[in-house]
Amino acid sequence: MSTELDWSNLSFGYIPTDYNVRCWYRNGKWGEIEVSSSEYVNMHMAATALHYGQEIFEGLKAFRGKDGKIRIFRLDANANRIIDSAKGIKMAPVPVELFREMAIKAVQLNARFVPPYGSGASLYIRPIELGMSAQIGVHPSSEYLFMIMVMPVGPYFKEGFKPTNICIMREFDRVAPKGTGRWKVGGNYAASLEAGERAHELGYSAVLYLDPKEKKYLDECGPANFFAIKNGRYITPASESILPSVTNNSLQQLARDMGIEVECRHIELDELNEIDEAGACGTAAVASPVAEIDDIDTGVKYVVAKDGQPGPITTKLYNKLRAVQLGEEPDVHGWNTIVEE
Ligand SMILES: *Cc1c(COP(=O)(O)O)cnc(C)c1O
């Protein structure tokens, strides 16, 4: 049974699907996988997730390929990353095998929501883990709920693959130098909301954060990593306060495959004068090209896309990654997990 949705006009937002999958960690071990059709979580009002932010998540996608098969992109990379996040804030790590099994199950159970090939839409997979023990004392929870929900989301670039403007703002940091920025923690997002809303009000699509210690180097764009093309090389910030984006990692590999050199290193703000292309990368958009970077505090404007068009290397990398996700090109790095229906 397929589903009648206007796939190409879906936005990135919550849509109920048929089932979600859940697993509890209690008495020092993970239990059985449960299938639920409830959209609610029944939790104790004293749960650590609610009081002390013991909450982590992931974001990945499944695609209907050219051959009609469903592919989940980089399942293992996301499974490994949520383990790092769990360890980072003292939660029980979800074993890779359990993560895999639950993600595949969530997609299979909701297969009718996987958008058709050619629609530009995909099935977004959102795993979350919550500290569930009722306690008011500040220490890690002893019980956890790990669950995976899925929902169809529309194509990111509805009006085409066009560059947008982003801004630099020094008034807010989203993370601390040796803080939780390297993990996918919900609290990092709470810390970015004020700056994000201000940026949107000023007409920017995102904030490009500077490193929180010296405010000298580039960090990342809120929920997306930053990359630039300089003299034909792919450059991206190395920083202890940014999240290792799976998309960024994939783009780096594709760049190397194309013979493009990759540099992961500190990028000073001034270097923005010397770049030829720039983009924000993440699961939602793959790569979102940047037109101009405005430094709100100094008034300096770094014009990246001089003709207002996405750069050639950004475009090539974007197309290549999409083609691998959709099964249009060989998956030479073994990034896709085919889901049996
Ligand atoms: C999820 C996320 C990204 C993007 O990571 P992908 O794995 O490419 O989706 C970038 N930065 C932050 C802070 C994130 O939470």
Side-chain angles (χ1 to χ4, degrees):
M1 180 179 52
S2 82
T3 302
E4 292 308 313
L5 282 170
D6 186 1
W7 304 109
S8 307
N9 285 311
L10 289 173
S11 62
F12 185 82
Y14 179 76
I15 290 185
T17 50
D18 294 334
Y19 301 102
N20 56 83
V21 291
R22 307 179 181 205
C23 189
W24 282 85
Y25 180 90
R26 289 187 180 115
N27 303 318
K29 58 180 193 298
W30 290 98
E32 295 296 313
I33 299 171
E34 299 164 20
V35 174
S36 173
S37 55
S38 168
E39 293 172 78
Y40 295 90
V41 175
N42 189 10
M43 65 200 294
H44 197 284
M45 65 182 181
T48 65
L50 298 178
H51 296 260
Y52 305 124
Q54 263 199 318
E55 190 275 345
I56 54 179
F57 65 101
E58 272 304 324
L60 60 165
K61 281 179 170 176
F63 302 86
R64 179 76 66 180
K66 197 179 178 184
D67 54 6
K69 291 184 180 158
I70 301 175
R71 289 171 173 75
I72 303 178
F73 187 66
R74 304 214 63 180
L75 182 49
D76 287 345
N78 286 272
N80 283 309
R81 189 169 66 187
I82 202 170
I83 291 177
D84 291 340
S85 299
K87 289 179 178 165
I89 62 166
K90 301 301 277 181
M91 298 172 74
V94 174
V96 171
E97 262 319 304
L98 180 61
F99 185 101
R100 276 189 73 82
E101 197 182 332
M102 288 176 67
I104 291 169
K105 197 167 192 115
V107 173
Q108 280 170 334
L109 289 168
N110 296 291
R112 71 188 185 99
F113 292 99
V114 182
Y117 173 73
S119 64
S122 55
L123 188 75
Y124 184 68
I125 305 171
R126 167 55 64 86
I128 64 168
E129 185 177 345
L130 303 164
M132 296 297 272
S133 303
Q135 57 187 53
I136 285 295
V138 181
H139 53 92
S141 180
S142 56
E143 296 190 351
Y144 294 91
L145 172 63
F146 175 61
M147 57 189 291
I148 301 185
M149 66 189 87
V150 301
M151 67 213 73
V153 295
Y156 192 86
F157 298 105
K158 283 207 182 62
E159 278 92 46
F161 184 59
K162 289 254 170 61
T164 60
N165 294 351
I166 61 175
C167 68
I168 292 166
M169 211 189 275
R170 288 172 191 69
E171 212 182 323
F172 303 94
D173 289 310
R174 55 185 290 286
V175 293
K178 290 191 188 294
T180 54
R182 57 200 132 150
W183 305 310
K184 212 164 174 79
V185 170
N188 295 341
Y189 281 70
S192 74
L193 292 177
E194 176 66 30
E197 287 303 297
R198 285 198 196 183
H200 291 152
E201 277 161 24
L202 295 168
Y204 298 103
S205 61
V207 177
L208 172 55
Y209 288 90
L210 299 181
D211 77 276
K213 189 172 180 185
E214 298 183 76
K215 302 261 198 228
K216 193 170 148 192
Y217 306 108
L218 306 181
D219 241 14
E220 65 171 323
C221 297
N225 276 186
F226 178 82
F227 71 91
I229 305 297
K230 180 186 171 189
N231 299 329
R233 294 178 178 205
Y234 182 106
I235 63 172
T236 190
S239 162
E240 63 184 5
S241 49
I242 67 177
L243 187 89
S245 151
V246 174
T247 313
N248 194 355
N249 173 280
S250 309
L251 292 172
Q252 289 172 34
Q253 183 60 54
L254 295 176
R256 283 191 215 97
D257 294 349
M258 293 173 186
I260 296 167
E261 274 185 59
V262 173
E263 296 174 4
C264 295
R265 57 167 172 81
H266 282 330
I267 300 175
E268 280 192 41
L269 186 52
D270 264 0
E271 215 178 326
L272 289 178
N273 285 309
E274 298 157 32
I275 61 173
D276 308 306
E277 302 177 30
C281 58
T283 294
V286 176
S288 178
V290 169
E292 186 175 305
I293 305 166
D294 293 354
D295 189 328
I296 292 188
D297 305 301
T298 62
V300 175
K301 289 182 191 298
Y302 303 91
V303 180
V304 184
K306 293 179 179 76
D307 56 1
Q309 296 302 314
I313 295 180
T314 303
T315 306
K316 215 169 141 184
L317 288 169
Y318 170 82
N319 288 333
K320 182 81 183 177
L321 187 60
R322 294 275 304 159
V324 175
Q325 290 174 329
L326 297 171
E328 296 166 347
E329 293 210 15
D331 177 22
V332 296
H333 299 289
W335 286 341
N336 294 320
T337 299
I338 306 248
V339 177
E340 303 298 335
E341 286 177 81

